[in-house]
């Protein structure tokens, strides 16, 4: 089993690594708030601000992000306003195909004005090697569509959650007596502008535990936001797994990995964020 590695970011712009970052392992980031506190401020008697860590795993280029602080609220019922912020470790899973991890941080707040500050080693970011078991990559990954322009400033993934669930109805007051294993996708994609006739979609591949392709399809995204926030999205089932009821079993492949690429077509041109997005899934027996 891959071990957990820790990246520590200290005051005075020092940082250290504890343990090797390994594929299929866990990476924990401990960040000292004094490194990047310029944008924390007070607004209407409450402390406002956040520090977000960004980790880009190479070679696919997918970015994982999360806050490295948590709010401290005044005691009371209900809890009072935010009176301070404190460090909160961020733990993320290391993909099984990663070879390097690129890290940077963003401190920001939004009140009557916007404040942004960065900890990026003067734009070079912090780089770390990823080791462990040999990198794994499916033999039939989602291919990049020829002619698509990589423009993350025109389209990119805002939020994504890929999960495996047992959708078999659970009777009231008792355990489930069957299984209906499904893989679900909840995706929101941002676009810089949209117009009548614009089209957004994702090419999706599903793989089993040996990285063999078990399903490939293209899913159209629906327009879900207009005006200042223009976005497209998809919520629903992307793969039907095995089903089982008393006396009947319908076996299906065990989905263990999902890959997809995002595309957006407008004014006769196709754009993409250029990232091969990927998510690992637990085995059916654990659902």
């Amino acid at each position: 089993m891959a071990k957990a590695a820790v990246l520590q970011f200290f005051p005075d712009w020092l940082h250290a690594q504890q343990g090797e970052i390994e594929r299929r392992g866990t990476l924990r980031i401990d960040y000292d708030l004094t490194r990047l506190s310029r944008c924390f401020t007070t607004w209407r008697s409450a402390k406002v601000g956040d520090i977000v860590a960004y980790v880009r795993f190479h070679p696919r280029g997918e970015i994982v992000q999360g806050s490295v602080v948590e709010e401290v609220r005044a005691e009371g019922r209900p809890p009072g306003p935010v009176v301070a912020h404190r460090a909160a470790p961020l733990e993320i899973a290391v993909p099984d195909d990663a070879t390097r991890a690129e890290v940077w941080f963003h401190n920001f707040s939004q009140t009557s004005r916007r404040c942004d500050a960065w900890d990026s080693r003067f734009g070079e970011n912090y780089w770390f090697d990823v080791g462990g078991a040999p990198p794994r990559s499916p033999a039939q990954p989602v291919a990049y569509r020829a002619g698509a322009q990589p423009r993350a400033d025109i389209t990119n993934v805002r939020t994504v959650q890929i999960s495996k669930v047992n959708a078999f109805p659970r009777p009231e007051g008792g355990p489930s007596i069957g299984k209906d294993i499904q893989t679900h996708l909840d995706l929101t994609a941002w676009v810089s502008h949209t117009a009548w006739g614009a089209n957004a979609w994702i090419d999706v591949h599903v793989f089993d535990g040996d990285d063999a392709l078990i399903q490939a399809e293209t899913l159209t995204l629906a327009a879900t936001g207009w005006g200042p926030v223009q976005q497209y999205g998809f919520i629903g089932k992307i793969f039907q797994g095995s089903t089982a009821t008393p006396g009947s079993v319908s076996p299906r492949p065990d989905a263990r990995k999902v890959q997809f690429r995002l595309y957006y077509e407008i004014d006769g041109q196709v754009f993409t964020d250029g990232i091969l997005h990927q998510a690992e899934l637990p085995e059916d027996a654990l659902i």
Side-chain angles (χ1 to χ4, degrees):
M1 178 179 294
K3 301 177 181 178
V6 180
L7 298 180
Q8 298 170 298
F9 292 84
F10 302 110
D12 300 323
W13 307 107
L14 301 174
H15 68 276
Q17 177 177 337
Q18 303 293 329
E20 183 181 19
I21 304 174
E22 297 186 359
R23 287 173 279 273
R24 289 185 174 269
T26 300
L27 174 60
R28 192 183 84 192
I29 298 176
D30 293 336
Y31 192 85
D32 191 295
L33 275 60
T34 61
R35 289 174 63 102
L36 198 62
S37 59
R38 180 169 67 85
C39 290
F40 285 105
T41 188
T42 301
W43 174 252
R44 297 179 178 176
S45 302
K47 299 292 185 180
V48 179
D50 198 0
I51 300 177
V52 173
Y54 294 85
V55 183
R56 178 186 283 122
F57 288 106
H58 295 268
R60 280 189 298 107
E62 187 160 22
I63 298 175
V64 181
Q65 67 183 70
S67 178
V68 291
V69 305
E70 63 182 8
E71 298 176 339
V72 180
R73 292 185 175 271
E75 295 183 358
R77 294 187 178 180
V82 177
V83 296
H85 293 84
R86 61 190 174 202
L90 172 66
E91 291 194 354
I92 57 179
V94 181
D96 62 0
D97 62 344
T99 58
R100 301 194 77 191
E102 179 186 3
V103 182
W104 69 97
F105 303 88
H106 181 203
N107 173 217
F108 61 92
S109 62
Q110 177 68 63
T111 57
S112 58
R113 65 183 183 89
R114 176 76 180 187
C115 179
D116 295 276
W118 302 87
D119 178 357
S120 63
R121 204 165 66 173
F122 302 103
E124 295 184 359
N125 297 334
Y126 303 92
W127 290 79
F128 305 90
D129 291 330
V130 179
R136 292 185 56 172
S137 181
Q140 296 175 276
V142 181
Y144 188 97
R145 291 204 180 199
Q149 303 176 50
R151 290 284 300 273
D153 61 321
I154 291 180
T155 185
N156 57 68
V157 173
R158 291 192 67 187
T159 62
V160 61
Q161 181 177 358
I162 300 175
S163 57
K164 185 186 286 189
V165 300
N166 180 10
F168 194 87
R170 181 182 294 272
E172 293 185 10
S176 177
I177 57 174
K179 279 199 171 185
D180 180 5
I181 305 299
Q182 300 179 8
T183 300
H184 286 195
L185 169 66
D186 186 341
L187 168 72
T188 300
W190 171 90
V191 298
S192 62
H193 65 286
T194 192
W196 180 259
N199 184 31
W201 70 90
I202 55 174
D203 292 337
V204 186
H205 284 188
V206 182
F207 305 90
D208 65 14
D210 295 320
D211 283 337
L213 181 65
I214 55 178
Q215 180 170 294
E217 64 179 325
T218 296
L219 299 174
T220 300
L221 307 185
T224 59
W226 300 89
V229 179
Q230 302 178 91
Q231 59 189 35
Y232 288 74
F234 179 91
I235 300 178
K237 179 176 67 174
I238 59 173
F239 182 75
Q240 176 64 58
S242 297
T243 59
T245 58
S248 176
V249 176
S250 297
R252 290 271 292 158
D254 187 347
R256 299 298 304 279
K257 180 180 294 181
V258 175
Q259 288 186 343
F260 71 89
R261 288 188 184 273
L262 168 68
Y263 295 96
Y264 180 54
E265 182 178 24
I266 187 170
D267 299 330
Q269 300 181 83
V270 177
F271 301 97
T272 177
D273 60 0
I275 296 174
L276 177 57
H277 299 271
Q278 179 174 294
E280 311 286 336
L281 297 172
E283 58 182 292
D284 287 357
L286 300 178
I287 302 301

